[in-house]
Amino acid sequence: MAKPTEFRIDVEKALGKTEVRAHFRKAMDTLMTNRRNQFPDDAALQALRTQAQAIRANALSKLPELLEQLETNLTKNGVQVHWAETTDEANQIVLGIMQKHHAQSIIKGKSMVSEEMGLNHFLEERGIEALESDLGEFIIQLDGETPSHIIMPAIHKSKEQISKLFHEKFPDIPYTDNVDELTASARRILRDKFYAAPVGLSGVNFAVAETGTLCLVENEGNGRMSTTIPPVHIAVTGIEKVVEKLSDIPPLLSILPRSATGQPITTYFNMISGPRKADEKDGPTEVHLVLLDNGRSRIYSDPELLATLRCIRCGACINHCPVYVRIGGHSYGTVYPGPIGTILEPQKEGLKVHGELIQASSLCGACGEVCPVRIPIPNIINRLRHDSVRKDTENTPTQDAGTRRKPLEAAIWQAWSWSASHPSLYNFGGKTATQLRGLVPNNLGAWTKVRTAPKLAEQTLHQQLKALGVDHE
Amino acid sequence: MSQTTNPPKPDTIYFFGTCLIDLIYPKAGVSAVQLLQRERVKVIYPQAQTCCGQPAWNSGYRDEARQVARAQIKFFPKNIPIVIPSGSCAGMMKTHYPELFKGEADEVEALNLANRVYELTEFLVDVLKVQLQDLGEAVEVAVHTSCSARREMGVADKIEQLLGQLSNVDVKEQAYKTECCGFGGTFAIKEPEISAAMVADKTLHIRATGATQLVSQDCGCLMNISGAFAYQAQHEGKAAPKAQHIAEFLWERTHG
Amino acid sequence: MSNARTAILQRLNSVERPVVDVSARESLSVVSWDKAECIHRFTERMQAVRAEVHRSDRGNWLDKVAEICKTKGLNNLLLSPKTEWGQVITQNAAQFPRLKHYERSIEDWKEELFYQVDAGLTSTLGGIAETGTLILWSSPDEPRTLSLVPPIHIAILDTDKLYTTFAKAVKTQGWLEQGLPTNALLISGPSRSADIAQVLAYGVHGPRELVVVLV
Ligand code: SF4
């Protein structure tokens, strides 16, 4: 057998940690129950999903026009708009703004796009402090980790671990495992940071083209702090986050938090349409928006894969995934874990890097069932499996298409296909079994590690029904 | 999705047995045919049929899947329902054939076939409106509905509706009922560790109900779960509930 | 980086766009709750996230607010003297803890704002019954930080401006026609987080307490 990949090793490790697994299970159970309680009326839920899907699909169908409109309106509102093709370009833009202001530090609200950019690392290499202020992000940054969930970044950590971590990193603060006290400590530490921060960074949940407005959902208030206190605010977002009209926002706001954490609404919904005006007393004096492509326009070019871009990053697919709950977010080795990561990452980074992820799905469909914008996640996984072994690679925009096609596997499927479509040669039973077995010569043991092997019947259904005289045409 | 308006009861239907039932669980197929015949429906079983093409489809080998699917389309030409004792294979034909044949010369035929597909329990409940009489002993049963029956075919409640007609059957509901058992076709082979963790939980939860019998409408799931039950019985001395396809279970309990 | 702009737009424009069915896009959930029902729902939702809700009327709201300040043991209260409510409170300053008026730019008194203000009082543009939400628009008189930095936020809501849903509020108040402020906010409770082991904690970054006075 080939050398196990990093993903394989991580999966095995993760599965071995029974305590962490139990922790994830409990956390996901809570999130699933909370969501379910938010949608007591299934017909209403389905109608809202259809509406949210239509809003996002409509926006994507007009994407270039809406981006230009967004830019025009933001500019009119006094927001400076920047475009970046790659994460490196986006990082350079952020750096450039910071240098212009001689800023040595940046305080961040939660932003998955900034994770995608690897912004913290990029800035730190250049001697600039990038501080996470979302409590979960703050915790994992203290421990030198990356988020294991897009909504609840520190979901993999237990209260005890966090208590220890705080005490280790802030020896002046007495040890406590009281969540209120831990939170209060974080508040104190970060208050001082907000007070002094020259630049604040945030993500964007929705950008409204019609009004030139950046919308952010959050519970803690750190998003508001990051976008209000520092004199400069930089927002980073993927180009797909735009919607056409202000009236598109209420339905999306109605379905996002309910799908994500099972809250009817988040504590704060923050709509930013510009920097401080001359007569205003607070707010940043400069607001920037960085629009990042990073592969999105490539995904955009395929009518089937395009659905990936409808995503509003609620995390519901992750919360409901039977694979994620067992292996946790870090095993994926990606910025976005779970089902959304499984479809997004191989498209963003190519099949060579993350193509293995698309096998890590039983295609059970739990993700697609809960997705608020009805992204057919299993179908896209299936499509990417096709892309990874297809021969007509010119017909897909997916990077590294066809590179996972292995001659032996392909030959087996061809042989199988031949016999299963030529019943005159029919001896389907024995043949198929042998052929399919050939597909996985080294892995047959995996099945029987926890299960007994299935036994072939003495007489096939074909034979038995023939013997019973069932008509055959 | 399950039909919103159901056709009247037909005189004649096709039966697509699925390759898994053909090779490993033929008794489920025979029972299904017997259940259908008892409702005075003429069953045609085209002997040339093989497999719906799903294994290749789910592995990304679309040309190979299409070749197999194309053959099946030819074997079921008449405009009559096709009944399939598997949510997974029914889902393949009903929801994925249209995708697989998009833009192909025989797209119309594929769509036509897709529209005639019924999962067995759906057909028994919605079209034939069967009335069952329980002749069996009292038994506690756990139901595992396959993900494709639940989410692709939208027929999750049909087994319970059928079991509800059996006076001596007590359905026990397991925790995490709607969660995947970890089979997923090639998933069980390509991701053996994750699959094993999933089936371990599934067996745990089913066993916790105390049910002595498990039924499902999909033999893939049954092969996975019952294989794990048998293994645990052999190696850990745990009780192994009897696992059966719903057709086999129903037939055993209701024929005189 | 205008190269990036051109390149991205060019790629997006070169794609044959899918035709999408957007008929479902405009559908609005219709709820028709009368005022009493709106107040009931608003209150229930707010209380569910640990916000305080007090009822009052035109005659006694001032006493109500004064009483709240007293119960909370506030040493001072930050507000704008220019709003309808702020004016009256300022005229009756004797009933209240020391009043601070938000009159300078944040830079000029940031330290005091951050570390020496006990509570901020704001008016609201309206409320949303369905979700238990306050609508606040930033303005020269009532800047963004007034409802953000102090540990307690007291908000006064005129119950005539309580709308059933967010969509309804946007429509009725004509947000689009008016043009949005630099910062429009929906606030649905005190600052909270469940990031530590899913245990709810309040006052992470924003106000620890939210007190709503319905008038
Ligand atoms: S794919 Fe759907 S469910 Fe998953 S994060 Fe995106 S919007 Fe949410």
Side-chain angles (χ1 to χ4, degrees):
Chain A
M1 197 169 25
K3 208 165 114 249
T5 58
E6 225 168 280
F7 177 64
R8 292 251 61 75
I9 296 168
D10 286 347
V11 162
E12 283 204 48
K13 261 199 234 151
L15 287 170
K17 295 183 189 159
T18 39
E19 219 172 291
V20 183
R21 265 180 63 188
H23 179 73
F24 263 104
R25 172 107 257 179
K26 206 177 128 249
M28 296 306 118
D29 283 354
T30 310
L31 289 165
M32 287 194 283
T33 310
N34 290 352
R35 174 186 175 275
R36 207 165 29 244
N37 292 342
Q38 284 301 321
F39 298 111
D41 175 356
D42 189 61
L45 165 63
Q46 300 314 332
L48 187 56
R49 289 176 75 213
T50 304
Q51 188 180 11
Q53 171 186 8
I55 288 169
R56 292 292 302 133
N58 169 67
L60 292 175
S61 74
K62 302 174 185 162
L63 187 57
E65 293 79 16
L66 293 185
L67 285 170
E68 289 191 77
Q69 191 191 1
L70 176 72
E71 180 183 46
T72 307
N73 285 325
L74 280 171
T75 310
K76 224 190 297 172
N77 294 346
V79 176
Q80 300 174 46
V81 180
H82 312 260
W83 302 67
E85 290 219 65
T86 60
T87 54
D88 191 51
E89 276 181 28
N91 284 327
Q92 293 292 350
I93 292 167
V94 174
L95 180 67
I97 299 168
M98 297 199 59
Q99 282 169 341
K100 209 179 83 197
H101 292 272
H102 307 291
Q104 282 308 306
S105 68
I106 188 166
I107 193 149
K108 296 176 64 197
K110 198 169 155 25
S111 154
M112 286 309 293
V113 168
S114 80
E115 297 283 348
E116 187 179 328
M117 289 157 58
L119 178 67
N120 295 6
H121 181 69
F122 173 88
L123 290 177
E124 271 150 25
E125 274 187 337
R126 284 152 187 82
I128 295 176
E129 182 196 34
L131 185 72
E132 297 289 349
S133 65
D134 172 86
L135 185 55
E137 294 275 356
F138 176 72
I139 290 166
I140 58 170
Q141 191 181 31
L142 279 181
D143 216 4
E145 291 183 317
T146 53
S148 60
H149 190 286
I150 64 173
I151 301 294
M152 317 213 67
I155 194 93
H156 58 288
K157 282 194 146 18
S158 69
K159 193 171 76 177
E160 291 67 32
Q161 287 173 315
I162 295 168
S163 306
K164 273 196 205 120
L165 181 67
F166 267 57
H167 188 57
E168 197 182 296
K169 302 286 170 178
F170 308 107
D172 297 350
I173 304 173
Y175 178 89
T176 174
D177 62 2
N178 179 307
V179 172
D180 288 330
E181 286 171 22
L182 290 167
T183 305
S185 298
R187 177 185 174 105
R188 260 196 320 277
I189 295 162
L190 288 164
R191 270 272 148 147
D192 296 347
K193 297 287 184 179
F194 276 121
Y195 181 84
V199 182
L201 184 129
S202 76
V204 174
N205 291 95
F206 317 111
V208 188
E210 178 178 48
T211 54
T213 303
L214 308 176
C215 304
L216 273 83
V217 300
E218 59 143 345
N219 285 314
E220 296 182 4
N222 67 308
R224 286 183 70 195
M225 294 289 277
S226 306
T227 59
T228 302
I229 307 292
V232 180
H233 166 212
I234 306 172
V236 292
T237 189
I239 52 171
E240 81 281 19
K241 287 286 175 68
V242 65
V243 296
E244 187 179 10
K245 295 182 183 175
L246 186 61
S247 59
D248 289 336
I249 294 297
L252 293 179
L253 180 62
S254 168
I255 205 165
L256 171 61
R258 290 201 275 169
S259 302
T261 51
Q263 292 172 264
I265 190 170
T266 51
T267 302
Y268 301 114
F269 185 62
N270 187 0
M271 306 174 76
I272 299 167
S273 304
R276 179 193 314 198
K277 286 193 179 137
D279 57 352
E280 287 185 314
K281 301 190 181 74
D282 66 8
T285 48
E286 260 181 42
V287 178
H288 298 263
L289 175 69
V290 182
L291 289 166
L292 173 66
D293 183 341
N294 193 27
R296 288 164 174 82
S297 59
R298 191 175 54 238
I299 300 172
Y300 188 76
S301 70
D302 185 283
E304 185 180 10
L305 300 175
L306 168 72
T308 313
L309 300 178
R310 289 207 293 264
C311 177
I312 56 173
R313 304 282 190 266
C314 71
C317 57
I318 304 176
N319 302 344
H320 290 75
C321 178
V323 173
Y324 175 90
V325 73
R326 291 182 173 80
I327 67 174
H330 288 146
S331 303
Y332 289 81
T334 53
V335 172
Y336 302 91
I340 178 59
T342 301
I343 58 171
L344 182 59
E345 296 285 359
Q347 296 189 65
K348 216 157 52 64
E349 312 293 327
L351 287 164
K352 274 190 189 149
V353 192
H354 291 312
E356 200 178 356
L357 292 186
I358 56 181
Q359 302 303 337
S361 165
S362 66
L363 301 177
C364 77
C367 47
E369 184 178 46
V370 295
C371 175
V373 287
R374 294 185 188 277
I375 300 175
I377 300 173
N379 294 1
I380 295 182
I381 293 175
N382 184 295
R383 160 66 191 273
L384 293 173
R385 286 184 184 176
H386 177 48
D387 282 355
S388 68
V389 298
R390 71 195 287 172
K391 284 186 288 186
D392 59 334
T393 53
E394 67 284 359
N395 292 331
T396 179
T398 308
Q399 273 182 312
D400 314 322
T403 53
R404 288 185 170 257
R405 188 181 179 91
K406 299 199 192 83
L408 175 66
E409 196 177 78
I412 291 166
W413 283 119
Q414 270 158 11
W416 168 85
S417 174
W418 173 257
S419 55
S421 56
H422 290 78
S424 54
L425 303 173
Y426 191 64
N427 169 13
F428 187 60
K431 244 193 188 138
T432 306
T434 327
Q435 283 162 353
L436 292 183
R437 209 173 283 141
L439 258 185
V440 282
N442 295 317
N443 276 345
L444 197 62
W447 176 272
T448 46
K449 237 184 201 167
V450 297
R451 310 168 188 88
T452 55
K455 282 192 207 74
L456 288 182
E458 272 161 31
Q459 275 203 317
T460 64
L461 181 66
H462 280 81
Q463 293 164 325
Q464 294 195 30
L465 290 183
K466 199 175 205 171
L468 287 173
V470 172
D471 285 308
H472 51 83
E473 56 180 355
Chain B
M1 284 296 121
S2 128
Q3 258 77 2
T4 34
T5 50
N6 293 299
K9 181 177 157 181
D11 302 328
T12 313
I13 59 154
Y14 281 128
F15 187 71
F16 181 81
T18 84
C19 58
L20 200 56
I21 286 182
D22 190 31
L23 304 175
I24 299 175
Y25 299 102
K27 211 168 157 202
V30 173
S31 304
V33 169
Q34 285 167 323
L35 283 169
L36 292 163
Q37 287 174 332
R38 187 169 64 189
E39 300 302 313
R40 299 201 184 77
V41 178
K42 183 181 161 196
V43 177
I44 304 176
Y45 179 82
Q47 278 284 335
Q49 64 177 275
T50 55
C51 166
C52 65
Q54 181 169 216
W57 164 255
N58 279 347
S59 301
Y61 287 86
R62 293 194 176 180
D63 294 340
E64 289 76 4
R66 197 179 298 110
Q67 193 182 352
V68 174
R70 184 164 281 144
Q72 311 313 310
I73 292 176
K74 293 211 190 76
F75 305 146
F76 295 83
K78 291 183 198 161
N79 190 24
I80 52 173
I82 303 164
V83 179
I84 306 179
S86 155
S88 164
C89 308
M92 175 68 197
M93 289 183 157
K94 196 175 183 75
T95 66
H96 299 306
Y97 275 19
E99 281 173 76
L100 190 55
F101 285 90
K102 208 171 193 168
E104 299 283 323
D106 41 2
E107 185 177 356
V108 176
E109 287 84 350
L111 283 172
N112 176 286
L113 177 127
N115 284 330
R116 290 186 281 131
V117 163
Y118 292 83
E119 185 274 331
L120 173 71
T121 59
E122 171 192 21
F123 195 74
L124 292 174
V125 173
D126 293 342
V127 181
L128 297 184
K129 303 190 167 54
V130 290
Q131 294 300 323
L132 301 170
Q133 248 219 314
D134 197 358
L135 306 174
E137 309 260 291
V139 64
E140 293 184 338
V141 178
V143 178
H144 173 73
T145 290
S146 73
C147 297
S148 34
R150 179 181 303 284
R151 303 194 179 98
E152 270 184 359
M153 295 299 291
V155 298
D157 52 345
K158 304 301 174 199
I159 290 187
E160 269 94 341
Q161 286 182 29
L162 291 164
L163 294 182
Q165 298 181 14
L166 302 180
S167 50
N168 257 340
V169 169
D170 185 7
V171 175
K172 295 283 173 192
E173 191 168 311
Q174 68 273 29
Y176 300 100
K177 186 166 186 259
T178 61
E179 193 176 81
C180 176
C181 71
F183 178 59
T186 52
F187 170 76
I189 306 293
K190 295 215 171 183
E191 295 294 340
E193 299 88 2
I194 306 173
S195 173
M198 287 165 75
V199 76
D201 288 345
K202 185 55 79 185
T203 50
L204 186 79
H205 297 134
I206 293 172
R207 207 183 275 110
T209 63
T212 53
Q213 168 86 45
L214 171 73
V215 294
S216 175
Q217 64 284 79
D218 270 85
C219 285
C221 309
L222 282 173
M223 184 165 81
N224 181 38
I225 301 172
S226 69
F229 274 144
Y231 183 95
Q232 292 158 5
Q234 272 174 29
H235 294 82
E236 297 155 33
K238 288 180 183 158
K242 183 174 172 192
Q244 275 182 316
H245 189 277
I246 181 69
E248 200 178 324
F249 179 77
L250 289 180
W251 180 250
E252 269 184 20
R253 290 190 72 90
T254 58
H255 85 280
Chain C
M1 293 287 164
S2 63
N3 292 347
R5 180 184 191 278
T6 318
I8 293 169
L9 288 175
Q10 207 165 37
R11 274 199 301 276
L12 296 179
N13 274 313
S14 69
V15 171
E16 206 183 304
R17 312 286 178 80
V19 186
V20 292
D21 172 17
V22 293
S23 51
R25 184 173 160 218
E26 309 287 347
S27 76
L28 272 183
S29 63
V30 216
V31 276
S32 48
W33 298 324
D34 62 11
K35 191 167 167 181
E37 179 71 14
C38 279
I39 293 177
H40 171 73
R41 290 192 182 246
F42 175 89
T43 309
E44 208 176 58
R45 289 259 36 97
M46 272 290 182
Q47 287 170 343
V49 291
R50 248 189 45 177
E52 282 177 35
V53 181
H54 300 267
R55 301 287 300 269
S56 74
D57 55 40
R58 291 266 154 198
N60 70 3
W61 70 268
L62 187 73
D63 299 336
K64 195 65 158 189
V65 177
E67 187 190 309
I68 291 165
C69 293
K70 204 164 180 187
T71 324
K72 305 263 170 219
L74 301 182
N75 293 312
N76 56 53
L77 178 68
L78 178 66
L79 77 172
S80 160
K82 298 207 182 120
T83 62
E84 180 191 357
W85 320 105
Q87 247 171 25
V88 181
I89 293 175
T90 307
Q91 283 157 11
N92 296 278
Q95 282 192 50
F96 287 87
R98 195 156 61 79
L99 299 181
K100 294 186 184 220
H101 289 159
Y102 204 133
E103 282 171 325
R104 288 170 289 164
S105 286
I106 182 170
E107 288 75 17
D108 299 336
W109 71 302
K110 203 173 184 180
E111 189 167 349
E112 187 182 340
L113 171 66
F114 261 62
Y115 302 106
Q116 287 156 41
V117 174
D118 284 359
L121 180 138
T122 69
S123 66
T124 54
L125 196 72
I128 300 163
E130 183 181 45
T131 48
T133 300
L134 299 169
I135 303 167
L136 274 79
W137 278 23
S138 67
S139 70
D141 291 335
E142 295 193 301
R144 315 176 188 201
T145 41
L146 183 52
S147 63
L148 175 61
V149 173
I152 299 176
H153 174 202
I154 303 171
I156 303 182
L157 172 62
D158 178 347
T159 50
D160 286 339
K161 293 190 213 149
L162 195 49
Y163 305 94
T164 49
T165 62
F166 181 29
K168 190 85 204 246
V170 170
K171 243 199 175 133
T172 318
Q173 296 191 329
W175 286 27
L176 199 57
E177 296 73 17
Q178 285 190 54
L180 293 173
T182 51
N183 193 200
L185 267 173
L186 304 186
I187 300 181
S188 309
S191 155
R192 60 186 257 189
S193 175
D195 275 351
I196 301 182
Q198 290 189 306
V199 180
L200 264 184
Y202 293 89
V204 199
H205 294 282
R208 199 167 8 92
E209 291 181 48
L210 173 65
V211 184
V212 183
V213 181
L214 296 173
V215 181

